[in-house]
Amino acid sequence: AVSNKTQIANSPGGGSKAAMSTEDIEERLAGVPVYALSNASEEFVLVSGASTGKSLGLFCFKKEDADALLEHIRIMDPGMRSGSKVVAVALNKVGM
């Protein structure tokens, strides 16, 4: 009997929920704020690796974490002191 239940649960339409559509996912993520660092030109701040040449955009789920990150980067890069700030972005916009 156990194998029949497993087979039904794993078969298409066999009692499992349908996957969410892309639109449903985007709608859900629209209400989730994440926090990023912005420079004076209102561009996202990227952290770049000197040896790899790659850049990484950092996002935080808590504003307090983003504030702490901004303070840390301001210490490391004095050019970030003027006009840099933490900005809220809807999670569905991050990948765009």
Side-chain angles (χ1 to χ4, degrees):
V2 173
S3 62
N4 288 341
K5 288 182 182 178
T6 303
Q7 186 178 15
I8 291 170
N10 290 331
S11 65
S16 62
K17 284 189 166 183
M20 292 177 68
S21 70
T22 302
E23 293 80 19
D24 290 337
I25 293 170
E26 286 183 10
E27 185 178 323
R28 278 217 158 146
L29 296 180
V32 178
V34 292
Y35 302 91
L37 305 185
S38 168
N39 63 19
S41 301
E42 297 187 8
E43 301 166 323
F44 286 128
V45 174
L46 302 177
V47 178
S48 299
S51 62
T52 63
K54 295 183 179 180
S55 296
L56 178 67
L58 301 176
F59 296 90
C60 301
F61 284 102
K62 293 182 179 179
K63 186 176 183 310
E64 296 82 15
D65 291 342
D67 288 334
L69 179 61
L70 180 59
E71 287 306 312
H72 184 72
I73 289 178
R74 282 180 174 162
I75 291 169
M76 293 173 44
D77 182 2
M80 287 287 297
R81 291 190 179 132
S82 177
S84 298
K85 60 185 174 183
V86 172
V87 293
V89 181
L91 190 52
N92 67 328
K93 300 297 182 191
V94 170
M96 295 182 171

